[in-house]
Amino acid sequence: MPSRSSSRAVYPGTFDPFTNGHLDIAERAAAIFEELLVAVSADSGKQPMFSLDERVEMAREACGHLANVQVAPFDGLIVDFARSRGARALVKGLRTATDFEREMQMAMMNRSLAPGLDTLLLLADSRYAFLSSGLVREVCGLGGDVSAYVPESVLPRLVGRLQPGRDRP
Ligand code: ADP
C-alpha cells in the first residue's frame, strides 16, 4: 500500500450548505493528502443563506469521521490563507464543463499569484455530479426530500430553515 505524501491541502468553498458531493471530494482528498483543511469562505461574493458559523459547524459535523480533516473559516485571498497554513495544494471538485472553465481560470490565476501552490481538480462522482448547494436549497425550499443529497447532520438545519412548518425531516 503506497503511503500518503507528507502534505497538506486546502479545499475551499462556500458550503451553503455542505452536501454529499462536497463530502465525497473531502473524503477522496483526505485519502491523497496527509492533512486536508476544508476552508469555508466568509466572503465568496455569493450571499449565503447560512451564516459563516453555521457553515463551518455543518462542515465540521459532516467531516467528523475523517481524522485528518479540519475545517476553518477564511476571508481574503485563498492563496494567502493556503500559504499561511503551509498548504501545498488547493483541491476543487469538477462537475460540468462550466465548472471546468471557471476552475481552470481560477487555478491559473492562483498559480500566477502563488507559483508554489498547485490546484488539484477531482472529478465529481457520478452520483453527485448534478448536485449543488443551490439546487439542494431550491428543492428543499419547494418541499422536496433532500435526505439523499446532504449529510445527516445538515438535513435538520436545512429543513428547519426552509420547511419551518415541518417538525422533522
Ligand atoms: P457550489 O460550487 O455548489 O456553489 P461551493 O462553492 O461550496 O459550491 O463548492 C466548493 C467546491 O466544491 C468547488 O470546487 C465545487 O466545484 C465543488 N463541488 C460542489 N458541489 C460538488 C459536487 N456535487 N461534486 C463534486 N464537487 C462539488
Side-chain angles (χ1 to χ4, degrees), residues 39-87:
V40 184
S41 171
D43 171 28
S44 59
K46 301 173 186 172
Q47 295 243 301
M49 181 176 81
F50 288 105
S51 71
L52 180 60
D53 285 349
E54 289 173 310
R55 286 180 285 127
V56 168
E57 262 177 50
M58 285 187 281
R60 250 181 215 147
E61 286 165 8
C63 295
H65 61 296
L66 300 168
N68 63 334
V69 175
Q70 291 194 330
V71 179
F74 81 96
D75 58 12
L77 284 176
I78 188 60
V79 293
D80 289 341
F81 177 79
R83 278 195 298 206
S84 75
R85 298 302 186 102

Coordinates of all heavy atoms in Angstrom, one line a residue, residues 39-87:
A39 N -11.8 24.8 3.9 CA -11.8 26.3 4.1 C -13.1 26.9 3.7 O -13.5 26.9 2.5 CB -10.6 26.9 3.4
V40 N -13.8 27.4 4.7 CA -15.2 27.9 4.4 C -15.1 29.4 4.2 O -14.6 30.2 5.1 CB -16.1 27.6 5.6 CG1 -17.5 28.1 5.3 CG2 -16.1 26.1 5.9
S41 N -15.5 29.9 3.1 CA -15.4 31.3 2.7 C -16.3 32.2 3.4 O -17.5 32.0 3.3 CB -15.6 31.4 1.1 OG -15.6 32.7 0.8
A42 N -15.8 33.2 4.0 CA -16.6 34.2 4.6 C -17.2 35.2 3.6 O -18.3 35.6 3.8 CB -15.8 35.1 5.6
D43 N -16.5 35.4 2.5 CA -16.9 36.4 1.6 C -16.6 35.9 0.2 O -15.6 36.2 -0.4 CB -16.2 37.7 1.9 CG -16.4 38.7 0.8 OD1 -17.4 38.7 0.2 OD2 -15.5 39.6 0.6
S44 N -17.5 35.1 -0.4 CA -17.3 34.5 -1.7 C -17.9 35.2 -2.8 O -18.0 34.8 -4.0 CB -17.7 33.0 -1.7 OG -19.1 33.0 -1.4
G45 N -18.6 36.4 -2.5 CA -19.3 37.1 -3.5 C -20.7 36.6 -3.6 O -21.6 37.3 -4.2
K46 N -21.0 35.4 -3.0 CA -22.4 34.9 -3.0 C -23.0 35.4 -1.7 O -22.3 35.8 -0.8 CB -22.4 33.4 -3.0 CG -21.7 32.7 -4.2 CD -21.6 31.2 -4.0 CE -20.8 30.6 -5.2 NZ -20.5 29.2 -5.0
Q47 N -24.3 35.4 -1.7 CA -25.0 35.8 -0.4 C -25.5 34.6 0.3 O -26.6 34.1 0.0 CB -26.2 36.8 -0.7 CG -25.8 38.1 -1.3 CD -26.1 39.2 -0.5 OE1 -27.3 39.4 -0.1 NE2 -25.1 40.0 0.0
P48 N -24.7 34.0 1.1 CA -25.1 32.7 1.7 C -26.4 32.7 2.5 O -26.7 33.8 3.1 CB -23.9 32.3 2.6 CG -22.8 33.3 2.3 CD -23.5 34.5 1.7
M49 N -27.1 31.6 2.5 CA -28.3 31.5 3.3 C -27.9 31.2 4.8 O -28.5 31.8 5.7 CB -29.1 30.4 2.8 CG -30.4 30.2 3.6 SD -31.5 28.9 2.9 CE -30.7 27.4 3.6
F50 N -26.9 30.4 5.0 CA -26.4 30.1 6.4 C -25.2 31.0 6.7 O -24.4 31.4 5.9 CB -25.9 28.6 6.5 CG -27.0 27.6 6.4 CD1 -27.2 26.9 5.2 CD2 -27.9 27.4 7.5 CE1 -28.3 25.9 5.2 CE2 -28.9 26.5 7.4 CZ -29.1 25.7 6.3
S51 N -25.2 31.4 8.0 CA -24.1 32.2 8.5 C -22.7 31.5 8.3 O -22.7 30.2 8.2 CB -24.3 32.6 9.9 OG -24.1 31.5 10.8
L52 N -21.7 32.2 8.5 CA -20.3 31.6 8.4 C -20.2 30.5 9.5 O -19.7 29.4 9.2 CB -19.3 32.6 8.5 CG -17.8 32.1 8.5 CD1 -17.5 31.4 7.2 CD2 -16.9 33.3 8.7
D53 N -20.6 30.9 10.7 CA -20.5 29.9 11.8 C -21.3 28.6 11.5 O -20.8 27.5 11.8 CB -21.0 30.5 13.1 CG -20.0 31.5 13.7 OD1 -18.9 31.6 13.2 OD2 -20.4 32.2 14.6
E54 N -22.5 28.8 11.0 CA -23.3 27.6 10.7 C -22.7 26.8 9.6 O -22.7 25.5 9.7 CB -24.7 28.0 10.2 CG -25.6 28.6 11.3 CD -26.9 29.2 10.7 OE1 -26.8 30.0 9.7 OE2 -28.0 28.8 11.2
R55 N -22.1 27.4 8.6 CA -21.5 26.6 7.5 C -20.3 25.9 8.0 O -20.0 24.7 7.6 CB -21.2 27.6 6.3 CG -22.4 28.0 5.6 CD -22.1 28.9 4.4 NE -21.8 30.3 4.8 CZ -20.8 31.0 4.5 NH1 -19.9 30.4 3.6 NH2 -20.6 32.2 4.9
V56 N -19.5 26.5 8.9 CA -18.3 25.9 9.5 C -18.8 24.7 10.3 O -18.2 23.6 10.2 CB -17.5 26.9 10.3 CG1 -16.5 26.1 11.2 CG2 -16.8 27.9 9.4
E57 N -19.8 24.9 11.2 CA -20.3 23.8 12.0 C -20.8 22.6 11.2 O -20.5 21.5 11.5 CB -21.4 24.3 12.9 CG -21.0 24.7 14.3 CD -22.2 25.3 15.0 OE1 -23.3 24.6 15.0 OE2 -22.1 26.4 15.6
M58 N -21.5 22.9 10.2 CA -22.1 21.8 9.4 C -21.0 21.0 8.7 O -21.0 19.8 8.6 CB -23.1 22.4 8.3 CG -24.4 22.7 8.9 SD -25.6 23.2 7.7 CE -25.1 24.8 7.3
A59 N -20.0 21.7 8.2 CA -18.8 21.1 7.5 C -18.1 20.2 8.5 O -17.7 19.1 8.3 CB -17.9 22.1 6.8
R60 N -17.9 20.8 9.7 CA -17.2 20.1 10.8 C -17.9 18.8 11.2 O -17.3 17.7 11.3 CB -17.1 21.0 12.1 CG -15.7 21.4 12.3 CD -15.6 22.2 13.5 NE -14.5 23.2 13.2 CZ -14.4 24.4 13.6 NH1 -15.4 24.9 14.4 NH2 -13.5 25.2 13.2
E61 N -19.2 18.9 11.3 CA -20.0 17.7 11.7 C -19.9 16.7 10.6 O -19.8 15.5 10.9 CB -21.5 18.1 12.0 CG -21.7 18.8 13.3 CD -23.0 19.5 13.4 OE1 -23.9 19.4 12.6 OE2 -23.2 20.3 14.4
A62 N -20.1 17.1 9.4 CA -20.1 16.2 8.2 C -18.7 15.5 8.1 O -18.7 14.3 7.6 CB -20.4 16.9 6.9
C63 N -17.6 16.1 8.5 CA -16.3 15.6 8.3 C -15.8 15.0 9.6 O -14.6 14.6 9.7 CB -15.3 16.6 7.8 SG -15.7 17.2 6.1
G64 N -16.6 14.9 10.6 CA -16.2 14.4 11.9 C -15.5 13.0 11.9 O -14.7 12.8 12.8
H65 N -15.9 12.2 11.0 CA -15.3 10.8 10.9 C -14.0 10.8 10.2 O -13.4 9.7 10.2 CB -16.3 9.9 10.2 CG -16.6 10.3 8.8 ND1 -17.2 11.5 8.4 CD2 -16.3 9.7 7.6 CE1 -17.2 11.6 7.1 NE2 -16.7 10.5 6.6
L66 N -13.5 11.9 9.7 CA -12.2 11.9 9.0 C -11.2 12.5 9.9 O -11.1 13.7 10.1 CB -12.4 12.7 7.7 CG -13.5 12.2 6.7 CD1 -13.8 13.2 5.6 CD2 -13.0 10.9 6.1
A67 N -10.3 11.7 10.4 CA -9.3 12.1 11.4 C -8.3 13.1 10.9 O -7.8 14.0 11.6 CB -8.5 10.9 11.9
N68 N -8.0 13.1 9.6 CA -7.0 14.1 9.1 C -7.7 15.3 8.4 O -7.0 16.0 7.5 CB -6.0 13.4 8.1 CG -6.7 12.8 6.9 OD1 -7.9 12.5 6.9 ND2 -6.0 12.7 5.8
V69 N -8.9 15.6 8.7 CA -9.6 16.7 8.1 C -10.0 17.7 9.1 O -10.5 17.4 10.2 CB -10.9 16.3 7.3 CG1 -11.7 17.5 6.8 CG2 -10.5 15.3 6.1
Q70 N -9.6 19.0 8.9 CA -10.0 20.1 9.8 C -10.8 21.1 9.0 O -10.7 21.1 7.7 CB -8.8 20.8 10.3 CG -8.0 19.9 11.3 CD -7.0 20.7 12.1 OE1 -6.5 21.7 11.6 NE2 -6.8 20.3 13.3
V71 N -11.6 21.9 9.7 CA -12.5 22.9 9.0 C -12.2 24.2 9.6 O -12.1 24.3 10.8 CB -14.0 22.5 9.2 CG1 -14.8 23.6 8.5 CG2 -14.3 21.1 8.6
A72 N -12.0 25.2 8.8 CA -11.7 26.6 9.3 C -12.3 27.6 8.4 O -12.4 27.4 7.2 CB -10.2 26.8 9.4
P73 N -12.8 28.8 8.9 CA -13.2 29.8 8.1 C -12.1 30.6 7.5 O -11.0 30.6 8.0 CB -14.0 30.7 9.0 CG -13.4 30.5 10.3 CD -12.8 29.1 10.3
F74 N -12.3 31.3 6.3 CA -11.2 32.2 5.8 C -11.9 33.3 5.1 O -13.0 33.3 4.7 CB -10.3 31.4 4.9 CG -10.8 31.3 3.5 CD1 -10.4 32.2 2.5 CD2 -11.7 30.3 3.1 CE1 -10.9 32.1 1.2 CE2 -12.2 30.1 1.8 CZ -11.8 31.0 0.8
D75 N -11.1 34.4 5.1 CA -11.6 35.5 4.2 C -10.3 36.0 3.5 O -9.2 35.6 3.8 CB -12.3 36.6 4.9 CG -11.5 37.3 6.0 OD1 -10.3 37.0 6.1 OD2 -12.1 38.0 6.8
G76 N -10.5 36.9 2.5 CA -9.4 37.3 1.7 C -9.1 36.3 0.6 O -9.8 35.4 0.3
L77 N -7.8 36.4 0.1 CA -7.4 35.5 -1.0 C -7.1 34.1 -0.5 O -6.4 33.9 0.5 CB -6.1 36.0 -1.6 CG -6.1 37.2 -2.5 CD1 -4.7 37.6 -2.9 CD2 -7.0 36.9 -3.7
I78 N -7.6 33.1 -1.2 CA -7.4 31.7 -0.8 C -6.0 31.3 -0.8 O -5.5 30.6 0.0 CB -8.3 30.7 -1.6 CG1 -8.2 29.3 -1.0 CG2 -7.9 30.7 -3.0 CD1 -8.7 29.2 0.4
V79 N -5.2 31.9 -1.7 CA -3.8 31.6 -1.8 C -3.0 32.1 -0.6 O -2.1 31.4 -0.1 CB -3.1 32.1 -3.1 CG1 -3.6 31.4 -4.3 CG2 -3.2 33.6 -3.2
D80 N -3.4 33.2 0.0 CA -2.8 33.7 1.2 C -3.1 32.8 2.3 O -2.2 32.5 3.2 CB -3.3 35.2 1.5 CG -2.7 36.2 0.5 OD1 -1.7 35.8 -0.2 OD2 -3.2 37.3 0.4
F81 N -4.4 32.4 2.4 CA -4.8 31.5 3.5 C -4.1 30.2 3.4 O -3.5 29.7 4.4 CB -6.3 31.3 3.4 CG -6.8 30.3 4.5 CD1 -7.0 30.7 5.8 CD2 -7.1 29.0 4.1 CE1 -7.5 29.8 6.7 CE2 -7.5 28.1 5.1 CZ -7.7 28.5 6.4
A82 N -4.0 29.7 2.2 CA -3.4 28.3 2.0 C -1.9 28.4 2.4 O -1.3 27.5 3.0 CB -3.6 27.9 0.5
R83 N -1.2 29.5 1.9 CA 0.2 29.6 2.2 C 0.4 29.8 3.7 O 1.3 29.2 4.3 CB 0.8 30.8 1.5 CG 1.2 30.4 0.0 CD 2.1 31.3 -0.6 NE 1.4 32.6 -0.8 CZ 1.8 33.5 -1.7 NH1 2.7 33.2 -2.6 NH2 1.2 34.7 -1.8
S84 N -0.5 30.6 4.4 CA -0.3 30.8 5.8 C -0.5 29.5 6.6 O 0.0 29.4 7.7 CB -1.3 31.8 6.3 OG -2.6 31.3 6.4
R85 N -1.2 28.5 6.0 CA -1.3 27.2 6.7 C -0.4 26.2 6.2 O -0.5 25.0 6.5 CB -2.8 26.7 6.5 CG -3.9 27.6 7.0 CD -3.7 27.8 8.5 NE -4.8 28.5 9.1 CZ -5.7 27.9 9.9 NH1 -5.7 26.6 10.0 NH2 -6.7 28.7 10.4
G86 N 0.6 26.6 5.4 CA 1.6 25.7 4.9 C 1.1 24.7 3.9 O 1.7 23.6 3.8
A87 N 0.0 25.0 3.2 CA -0.5 24.0 2.2 C 0.3 24.0 0.9 O 0.8 25.0 0.5 CB -2.0 24.4 1.9

